[in-house]
Amino acid sequence: MKRPTDIVAAACVLALLWPVIALLAVLIRIDTPGNPFYGQIRVGRDEKLFTMWKLRSMYMGTPSLGTHEVATDRTTRVGRLVRRLKLDELPQAYNVLRGDMSLVGPRPCLPNQHAVIDERRARRVFAIRPGITGLAQIEGIDMSRPAELAQSDQNYMEQQSLALDVRICFRTIAGVLSRRQSA
């Protein structure tokens, strides 16, 4: 049921939110020069590389590093807003349709995040598709803590179900809304 659910949900996101994506793309382009969409190589299922799409929130020329490794002054004005509301992730619905990603799963890492790759490989986490959101994200664990991240990813992999995916999606949305209200 996971793949058909992913396809239907991603198609609905793109069908319903394409005006928001288009508006944000225009705002990003007005704010800074360059393509408002950003493709970044990530490590996917079975350790295959794929291009993950996002709305660009950083200035052009920012190094391809993990979010926790990039200086905050590299984020654009519009980028701060789209990142805080997680709207930069909307184009990943396209990756879900293509089969590169799932709505819920381990967040895909960069090929240069060797500690994360090693920890995930040891726990066989690459056996499942990466996700737009995941258990580690709602637990507040990011790629700066590779062992904890991979353990959370493994826990998700062992417990995954439609009910768990729905809970993770709702907690992700609730987390974004609570950040929005506190900002």
Side-chain angles (χ1 to χ4, degrees), residues 86 133-145 148-149 152 171-172 179:
K86 301 286 187 195
T133 188
L135 184 60
Q137 285 63 49
I138 65 170
E139 292 176 339
I141 304 168
D142 67 20
M143 305 246 179
S144 67
R145 300 171 7 217
E148 286 179 69
L149 177 73
S152 179
R171 284 194 52 198
T172 300
R179 276 194 296 275

Side-chain angles (χ1 to χ4, degrees), residues 2-161:
K2 187 170 179 79
R3 184 71 186 131
T5 301
D6 281 344
I7 291 169
V8 169
C12 288
V13 165
L14 290 174
L16 295 172
L17 296 179
W18 72 265
V20 173
I21 296 169
L23 175 63
L24 290 171
V26 168
L27 292 174
I28 290 166
R29 186 64 178 92
I30 290 169
D31 187 37
T32 60
N35 190 336
F37 295 95
Y38 177 66
Q40 188 177 52
I41 301 299
R42 296 290 181 118
V43 181
R45 184 179 190 176
D46 299 326
E47 295 189 54
K48 291 184 178 147
L49 300 181
F50 72 98
T51 301
M52 184 179 80
W53 292 99
K54 298 179 87 165
L55 285 165
R56 184 172 52 82
S57 60
M58 303 276 184
Y59 289 102
M60 296 294 291
T62 299
S64 187
L65 300 169
T67 303
H68 64 281
E69 299 172 306
V70 178
T72 56
D73 66 347
R74 297 301 302 160
T75 307
T76 66
R77 277 182 301 149
V78 174
R80 280 188 284 281
L81 173 68
V82 299
R83 287 179 74 108
R84 188 172 72 239
L85 299 177
K86 301 286 187 195
L87 297 173
D88 58 326
E89 312 286 351
L90 290 175
Q92 289 169 36
Y94 171 74
N95 289 109
V96 173
L97 285 178
R98 283 182 37 93
D100 299 324
M101 295 177 71
S102 181
L103 289 177
V104 179
R107 282 295 291 161
C109 62
L110 295 164
N112 62 3
Q113 292 177 306
H114 302 292
V116 173
I117 291 169
D118 291 343
E119 292 287 345
R120 284 180 167 171
R121 187 180 290 140
R123 290 173 176 82
R124 301 185 191 335
V125 172
F126 290 113
I128 61 174
R129 280 187 183 91
I132 294 175
T133 188
L135 184 60
Q137 285 63 49
I138 65 170
E139 292 176 339
I141 304 168
D142 67 20
M143 305 246 179
S144 67
R145 300 171 7 217
E148 286 179 69
L149 177 73
Q151 184 59 57
S152 179
D153 294 339
Q154 181 182 10
N155 293 344
Y156 169 76
M157 187 174 68
E158 292 170 352
Q159 301 167 23
Q160 69 180 311
S161 67

